[in-house]
Amino acid sequence: MKNILLLSSVMIESEFATYQAKANIKPNPSNQNFYARLLKALSLTYNVSVISHRPFVKGMFHDKYLMSSMSIDGRNHFYYTHIGYSKGYKLFKEAKCIDDMVQSAIIDFNSNDFVVVVDVLRYGLLKAALRIKEKYHVPVIGMLTDNPANISKVKKSYVNRIFKNASNLDGYLALTDGLVKVFNKNNKPFYIFEGLVDEQINSKNDPIDNYYFFAGSLYERYGVKTLIDAFKDSSINDKLLIAGRGPLYKYLFDLEKKDSRILYLYQLPKEKVYSYEKRAIANINPRPLNEKIDAESVPSKLLEYLASGKPTISTKHPKLYEIFKDEVFWIDDSSKEGIKKALEDFVNTDYDKLIKMASTALVKVYELYGVNVQGQAIAHFIDSISSLEN
């Protein structure tokens, strides 16, 4: 079985849950969730070891550094790097800390025959991947999940460094054609898939029934406040449950005291989110349309909602609207009035029809984006890169 070295921030699921629970500043789970699914897809074909450079910022824990360690989860070995947030660490220690764990993983492979897959948005890991490429003469494939220029509070110089270094990779896995256009100036091989879905394991939830559900980052720019305000002004009697972290949590704290239909659940473990999705009247994706951002990113929550088997209410992301045109209750206008109208129209639609749409969506999303299906396609692409290098 061939070896893959995956460079990302992904952790063993149980260890991430503990990490998230203990953190004063909660890490965004979207990156963890995507790379956990990618890891599972890769592990169907390859022996995968992970170099995990964990998310870590000032104030997240009492410690200034997290020590390196190694864990095993089934066949996957995880090498957690020593990590800190100080400028001194970034300048003088980060590269060596990553390289030390890379060396441990390669020794454990007992082979210099492997392929590297790297999260391109993690600059320290991207640089490490290129050092591995130079030292071991192995192919390095970049995973493109977003344009770094679209990320909040990122300096232009940092964005330019990512693009410059990513241009030296051997190929790309990408979530959109727009990302390929932005990154792939040298016409390297690429494979596009809009996302991955995996089996959703339930956990026991609080006894809440008759609710609509949203889970994600609580930012106005993602349409969350618009959704909340639209629901507040609607004639719907059922509840709206919101799970996640972000600046809008204070707004939600105040609002749930005034409106008994709105309930804020904080940031939940993945299994609880899945369970709430599976019991919802409908799951809602209110992200406003933006031509540039929609060309370069995919609302991963929308695929997750489709995999729940319950109806989905969503704005019309161009690519996913094209694929799931008849299986989603689409929002025509992402303004407050537009979302309010969509919600009330949903209530007045025959629910049996909506459940049939959701059932069709469930089958289709696994046929297109299930880890087993995409794992085979991704493996075919990686093998083609490997053969080119040889």
Side-chain angles (χ1 to χ4, degrees), residues 185-198:
K185 302 300 185 185
N186 297 326
N187 295 317
K188 302 287 181 64
F190 62 88
Y191 174 64
I192 299 172
F193 60 103
E194 285 73 31
L196 296 165
V197 293
D198 193 13

PDB file of all heavy atoms in Angstrom, residues 185-198:
ATOM      1  N   LYS A 185      -1.399  28.819 -12.228  1.00  0.00           N
ATOM      2  CA  LYS A 185      -0.916  29.642 -13.352  1.00  0.00           C
ATOM      3  C   LYS A 185       0.030  28.860 -14.267  1.00  0.00           C
ATOM      4  O   LYS A 185       0.279  29.271 -15.405  1.00  0.00           O
ATOM      5  CB  LYS A 185      -0.199  30.891 -12.823  1.00  0.00           C
ATOM      6  CG  LYS A 185      -1.050  31.772 -11.916  1.00  0.00           C
ATOM      7  CD  LYS A 185      -2.287  32.298 -12.624  1.00  0.00           C
ATOM      8  CE  LYS A 185      -3.069  33.274 -11.730  1.00  0.00           C
ATOM      9  NZ  LYS A 185      -4.336  33.713 -12.350  1.00  0.00           N
ATOM     10  N   ASN A 186       0.569  27.750 -13.772  1.00  0.00           N
ATOM     11  CA  ASN A 186       1.552  26.980 -14.547  1.00  0.00           C
ATOM     12  C   ASN A 186       0.961  25.717 -15.174  1.00  0.00           C
ATOM     13  O   ASN A 186       1.691  24.827 -15.610  1.00  0.00           O
ATOM     14  CB  ASN A 186       2.741  26.603 -13.652  1.00  0.00           C
ATOM     15  CG  ASN A 186       3.484  27.827 -13.164  1.00  0.00           C
ATOM     16  OD1 ASN A 186       3.579  28.831 -13.869  1.00  0.00           O
ATOM     17  ND2 ASN A 186       4.002  27.774 -11.943  1.00  0.00           N
ATOM     18  N   ASN A 187      -0.373  25.647 -15.208  1.00  0.00           N
ATOM     19  CA  ASN A 187      -1.066  24.533 -15.873  1.00  0.00           C
ATOM     20  C   ASN A 187      -0.634  23.155 -15.359  1.00  0.00           C
ATOM     21  O   ASN A 187      -0.343  22.244 -16.136  1.00  0.00           O
ATOM     22  CB  ASN A 187      -0.861  24.606 -17.393  1.00  0.00           C
ATOM     23  CG  ASN A 187      -1.514  25.842 -17.985  1.00  0.00           C
ATOM     24  OD1 ASN A 187      -2.638  26.187 -17.619  1.00  0.00           O
ATOM     25  ND2 ASN A 187      -0.802  26.508 -18.873  1.00  0.00           N
ATOM     26  N   LYS A 188      -0.611  23.022 -14.040  1.00  0.00           N
ATOM     27  CA  LYS A 188      -0.322  21.725 -13.421  1.00  0.00           C
ATOM     28  C   LYS A 188      -1.604  20.868 -13.433  1.00  0.00           C
ATOM     29  O   LYS A 188      -2.709  21.390 -13.535  1.00  0.00           O
ATOM     30  CB  LYS A 188       0.149  21.934 -11.980  1.00  0.00           C
ATOM     31  CG  LYS A 188       1.383  22.827 -11.829  1.00  0.00           C
ATOM     32  CD  LYS A 188       2.638  22.129 -12.271  1.00  0.00           C
ATOM     33  CE  LYS A 188       3.865  23.013 -12.088  1.00  0.00           C
ATOM     34  NZ  LYS A 188       4.155  23.341 -10.682  1.00  0.00           N
ATOM     35  N   PRO A 189      -1.480  19.571 -13.285  1.00  0.00           N
ATOM     36  CA  PRO A 189      -2.670  18.706 -13.231  1.00  0.00           C
ATOM     37  C   PRO A 189      -3.555  19.063 -12.019  1.00  0.00           C
ATOM     38  O   PRO A 189      -3.045  19.501 -10.977  1.00  0.00           O
ATOM     39  CB  PRO A 189      -2.090  17.298 -13.078  1.00  0.00           C
ATOM     40  CG  PRO A 189      -0.670  17.404 -13.545  1.00  0.00           C
ATOM     41  CD  PRO A 189      -0.227  18.794 -13.221  1.00  0.00           C
ATOM     42  N   PHE A 190      -4.855  18.865 -12.152  1.00  0.00           N
ATOM     43  CA  PHE A 190      -5.759  19.174 -11.047  1.00  0.00           C
ATOM     44  C   PHE A 190      -6.984  18.270 -11.110  1.00  0.00           C
ATOM     45  O   PHE A 190      -7.315  17.710 -12.153  1.00  0.00           O
ATOM     46  CB  PHE A 190      -6.189  20.649 -11.088  1.00  0.00           C
ATOM     47  CG  PHE A 190      -6.947  21.035 -12.334  1.00  0.00           C
ATOM     48  CD1 PHE A 190      -8.340  20.895 -12.415  1.00  0.00           C
ATOM     49  CD2 PHE A 190      -6.272  21.555 -13.440  1.00  0.00           C
ATOM     50  CE1 PHE A 190      -9.030  21.242 -13.566  1.00  0.00           C
ATOM     51  CE2 PHE A 190      -6.970  21.915 -14.597  1.00  0.00           C
ATOM     52  CZ  PHE A 190      -8.347  21.752 -14.658  1.00  0.00           C
ATOM     53  N   TYR A 191      -7.631  18.152  -9.963  1.00  0.00           N
ATOM     54  CA  TYR A 191      -8.902  17.431  -9.875  1.00  0.00           C
ATOM     55  C   TYR A 191      -9.852  18.244  -9.001  1.00  0.00           C
ATOM     56  O   TYR A 191      -9.482  18.652  -7.894  1.00  0.00           O
ATOM     57  CB  TYR A 191      -8.716  16.029  -9.281  1.00  0.00           C
ATOM     58  CG  TYR A 191     -10.033  15.323  -9.036  1.00  0.00           C
ATOM     59  CD1 TYR A 191     -10.872  14.997 -10.091  1.00  0.00           C
ATOM     60  CD2 TYR A 191     -10.465  15.030  -7.736  1.00  0.00           C
ATOM     61  CE1 TYR A 191     -12.101  14.383  -9.873  1.00  0.00           C
ATOM     62  CE2 TYR A 191     -11.683  14.412  -7.518  1.00  0.00           C
ATOM     63  CZ  TYR A 191     -12.497  14.100  -8.588  1.00  0.00           C
ATOM     64  OH  TYR A 191     -13.720  13.506  -8.379  1.00  0.00           O
ATOM     65  N   ILE A 192     -11.064  18.500  -9.500  1.00  0.00           N
ATOM     66  CA  ILE A 192     -12.041  19.316  -8.784  1.00  0.00           C
ATOM     67  C   ILE A 192     -13.166  18.437  -8.227  1.00  0.00           C
ATOM     68  O   ILE A 192     -13.719  17.612  -8.942  1.00  0.00           O
ATOM     69  CB  ILE A 192     -12.653  20.391  -9.718  1.00  0.00           C
ATOM     70  CG1 ILE A 192     -11.570  21.336 -10.253  1.00  0.00           C
ATOM     71  CG2 ILE A 192     -13.739  21.192  -8.984  1.00  0.00           C
ATOM     72  CD1 ILE A 192     -12.066  22.288 -11.329  1.00  0.00           C
ATOM     73  N   PHE A 193     -13.463  18.612  -6.960  1.00  0.00           N
ATOM     74  CA  PHE A 193     -14.656  18.006  -6.349  1.00  0.00           C
ATOM     75  C   PHE A 193     -15.194  19.028  -5.348  1.00  0.00           C
ATOM     76  O   PHE A 193     -14.438  19.673  -4.636  1.00  0.00           O
ATOM     77  CB  PHE A 193     -14.328  16.679  -5.657  1.00  0.00           C
ATOM     78  CG  PHE A 193     -13.313  16.789  -4.542  1.00  0.00           C
ATOM     79  CD1 PHE A 193     -13.710  16.753  -3.215  1.00  0.00           C
ATOM     80  CD2 PHE A 193     -11.961  16.931  -4.830  1.00  0.00           C
ATOM     81  CE1 PHE A 193     -12.781  16.861  -2.193  1.00  0.00           C
ATOM     82  CE2 PHE A 193     -11.020  17.036  -3.809  1.00  0.00           C
ATOM     83  CZ  PHE A 193     -11.434  17.004  -2.488  1.00  0.00           C
ATOM     84  N   GLU A 194     -16.510  19.203  -5.311  1.00  0.00           N
ATOM     85  CA  GLU A 194     -17.100  20.294  -4.538  1.00  0.00           C
ATOM     86  C   GLU A 194     -17.089  20.048  -3.031  1.00  0.00           C
ATOM     87  O   GLU A 194     -17.324  20.973  -2.245  1.00  0.00           O
ATOM     88  CB  GLU A 194     -18.536  20.569  -5.002  1.00  0.00           C
ATOM     89  CG  GLU A 194     -18.647  21.296  -6.324  1.00  0.00           C
ATOM     90  CD  GLU A 194     -18.309  20.416  -7.520  1.00  0.00           C
ATOM     91  OE1 GLU A 194     -18.559  19.192  -7.462  1.00  0.00           O
ATOM     92  OE2 GLU A 194     -17.782  20.961  -8.520  1.00  0.00           O
ATOM     93  N   GLY A 195     -16.838  18.819  -2.625  1.00  0.00           N
ATOM     94  CA  GLY A 195     -16.817  18.521  -1.200  1.00  0.00           C
ATOM     95  C   GLY A 195     -16.896  17.036  -0.945  1.00  0.00           C
ATOM     96  O   GLY A 195     -16.853  16.222  -1.874  1.00  0.00           O
ATOM     97  N   LEU A 196     -17.015  16.685   0.323  1.00  0.00           N
ATOM     98  CA  LEU A 196     -17.091  15.290   0.744  1.00  0.00           C
ATOM     99  C   LEU A 196     -18.174  15.157   1.811  1.00  0.00           C
ATOM    100  O   LEU A 196     -18.321  16.031   2.664  1.00  0.00           O
ATOM    101  CB  LEU A 196     -15.757  14.829   1.344  1.00  0.00           C
ATOM    102  CG  LEU A 196     -14.546  14.800   0.413  1.00  0.00           C
ATOM    103  CD1 LEU A 196     -13.266  14.677   1.233  1.00  0.00           C
ATOM    104  CD2 LEU A 196     -14.653  13.647  -0.577  1.00  0.00           C
ATOM    105  N   VAL A 197     -18.917  14.055   1.748  1.00  0.00           N
ATOM    106  CA  VAL A 197     -19.869  13.759   2.823  1.00  0.00           C
ATOM    107  C   VAL A 197     -19.584  12.361   3.347  1.00  0.00           C
ATOM    108  O   VAL A 197     -19.147  11.480   2.616  1.00  0.00           O
ATOM    109  CB  VAL A 197     -21.341  13.870   2.356  1.00  0.00           C
ATOM    110  CG1 VAL A 197     -21.689  15.308   2.020  1.00  0.00           C
ATOM    111  CG2 VAL A 197     -21.628  12.953   1.182  1.00  0.00           C
ATOM    112  N   ASP A 198     -19.826  12.198   4.636  1.00  0.00           N
ATOM    113  CA  ASP A 198     -19.548  10.928   5.292  1.00  0.00           C
ATOM    114  C   ASP A 198     -20.745  10.532   6.130  1.00  0.00           C
ATOM    115  O   ASP A 198     -21.650  11.338   6.387  1.00  0.00           O
ATOM    116  CB  ASP A 198     -18.309  11.080   6.177  1.00  0.00           C
ATOM    117  CG  ASP A 198     -17.766   9.738   6.643  1.00  0.00           C
ATOM    118  OD1 ASP A 198     -18.192   8.708   6.089  1.00  0.00           O
ATOM    119  OD2 ASP A 198     -16.935   9.731   7.564  1.00  0.00           O
TER     120      ASP A 198
END
